[in-house]
Amino acid sequence: MKKALNDQVALEGLASSSYLAMASWCEVTGYKGAADYFYAQSDEERTHMIKVIHYLNDIGATATIPAIKAPSGTYKSLEGLVKTALKNEQTVTKAIHKMVELAHKEKDHSTYAFLEWFVNEQVQEETKFETVLQKFDLIGRDKIAINEIDKILAADAAAPEADPAV
Ligand code: FEO
């Protein structure tokens, strides 16, 4: 269980770093709203990573701070980038679900309860990116449409994030 939790620290760290790369790409490409959105997303992943680190330390299983491999920094389009983000989240969701199964099998009730927040968070995260992807179908993919989507992402970035536990 401790190994799985430490692996999760690395996975959340990788997510933070890959959203940082996405934010930076958006910034240089001229998608200011999307850049704000992904910078905020990167910060959020860092808080997830720290949540797991605190938990590991609290249960007396010292967390390992991982080396994080460099994410890809180039994307073909904003839509392609969001598709990659959704895929990242689906990978994280799978890892969380596997940990829930392991906690259940090992009768590790504390970790099982700890993971509940992450299970709910992943539902929100996947829905968030699916909703962004729907915008390309609804609004379009030409320059005016992308500018509109960029504005929506700017507004999202400025809005406070709902806590999944509430
Ligand atoms: Fe921390 Fe987006 O999963």
Side-chain angles (χ1 to χ4, degrees):
M1 192 76 254
K2 287 170 193 166
K3 158 127 188 23
L5 285 161
N6 265 312
D7 288 348
Q8 193 61 29
V9 171
L11 203 54
E12 300 287 354
L14 181 63
S16 176
S17 145
S18 74
Y19 291 137
L20 196 57
M22 289 179 186
S24 177
W25 182 86
C26 289
E27 194 166 45
V28 297
T29 310
Y31 302 143
K32 175 78 175 67
D36 290 349
Y37 183 92
F38 280 102
Y39 278 124
Q41 186 66 35
S42 172
D43 286 348
E44 200 184 311
E45 297 303 343
R46 190 168 183 278
T47 68
H48 296 172
M49 177 174 68
I50 291 171
K51 229 182 194 8
V52 185
I53 290 173
H54 283 322
Y55 179 72
L56 275 162
N57 291 338
D58 286 350
I59 60 168
T62 310
T64 308
I65 308 305
I68 293 170
K69 79 173 199 253
S72 154
T74 53
Y75 305 92
K76 285 200 179 91
S77 65
L78 184 59
E79 186 180 11
L81 180 153
V82 179
K83 277 186 184 162
T84 304
L86 176 60
K87 253 195 230 158
N88 284 355
E89 290 304 327
Q90 288 164 341
T91 303
V92 172
T93 302
K94 265 191 210 148
I96 303 267
H97 288 182
K98 262 196 182 164
M99 279 196 293
V100 170
E101 283 161 29
L102 186 63
H104 182 71
K105 212 174 101 193
E106 292 186 355
K107 295 190 171 52
D108 181 347
H109 304 296
S110 314
T111 304
Y112 189 86
F114 168 72
L115 291 172
E116 195 187 342
W117 184 91
F118 283 88
V119 171
N120 295 329
E121 170 71 9
Q122 283 313 116
V123 175
Q124 275 192 13
E125 297 268 84
E126 287 194 26
T127 304
K128 200 159 93 173
F129 289 129
E130 280 160 1
T131 307
V132 178
L133 284 175
Q134 278 176 334
K135 304 282 180 220
F136 291 92
D137 288 332
L138 293 169
I139 305 173
R141 292 170 177 84
D142 61 18
K143 285 181 181 171
I144 294 171
I146 303 236
N147 192 47
E148 216 34 61
I149 293 168
D150 193 50
K151 279 190 208 154
I152 293 169
L153 292 176
D156 272 17
E161 168 93 357
D163 190 323
V166 183

